[in-house]
Amino acid sequence: MKYLPFALILLASPAAAQSPELEQACVQVAQNFLLTPTIKTGVVQSFPELDPPGARLTYSTRQDPQPTDFTNEIECQFQNATAPFNLTRFCISSACYSENEQEPENRRRYFEVKALMDRPD
């Protein structure tokens, strides 16, 4: 049995499984929720291999953000790792939004964002 060099194993790390499509879908969730046409992203991570698939990112709504401005965070979960993604849950800061949320307003905000995400372009 041949062994792969350690450096080659590192190249096949989970980071290689990033999904730009999932990441962009989460950016769209943030834009729809925050009512802003653009946001600047900091660290972006996606997890298409998890169940449910999802993404999380840091963001800023400032026009010209500094590195210290990326303190806001959003996490998104989807039913599918590929389009149509079908948003199932998202959390901004410490508040979460899904169809099963106890708080009626959080449940309503989830359905609003989901309706916007489900509309054809």
Side-chain angles (χ1 to χ4, degrees):
M1 173 182 243
K2 282 190 163 186
Y3 293 96
L4 293 174
F6 183 70
L8 192 56
I9 293 170
L10 288 178
L11 290 176
S13 69
Q18 294 281 97
S19 169
E21 295 82 14
L22 271 178
E23 295 165 6
Q24 184 55 41
C26 195
V27 167
Q28 289 177 328
V29 169
Q31 289 172 314
N32 286 326
F33 182 79
L34 299 169
L35 301 174
T36 184
T38 60
I39 62 170
K40 309 288 188 205
T41 58
V43 176
V44 181
Q45 300 172 328
S46 57
F47 307 95
E49 70 278 13
L50 296 182
D51 185 25
R56 64 181 176 172
L57 55 96
T58 59
Y59 68 90
S60 175
T61 55
R62 295 179 185 235
Q63 292 288 30
D64 190 19
Q66 301 301 308
T68 56
D69 292 333
F70 293 97
T71 57
N72 300 310
E73 186 176 321
I74 182 170
E75 177 186 341
C76 304
Q77 293 179 358
F78 302 95
Q79 184 175 24
N80 306 308
T82 57
F85 299 104
N86 193 17
L87 179 67
T88 59
R89 182 175 193 253
F90 67 96
C91 300
I92 294 185
S93 299
S94 61
C96 291
Y97 305 85
S98 75
E99 68 178 86
N100 299 322
E101 291 300 321
Q102 296 296 318
E103 178 63 41
E105 186 154 325
N106 288 7
R107 194 169 47 250
R108 167 70 186 212
R109 295 295 165 260
Y110 162 77
F111 282 116
E112 290 173 351
V113 171
K114 183 171 177 10
L116 292 169
M117 295 296 292
D118 289 347
R119 290 180 184 167
D121 291 335

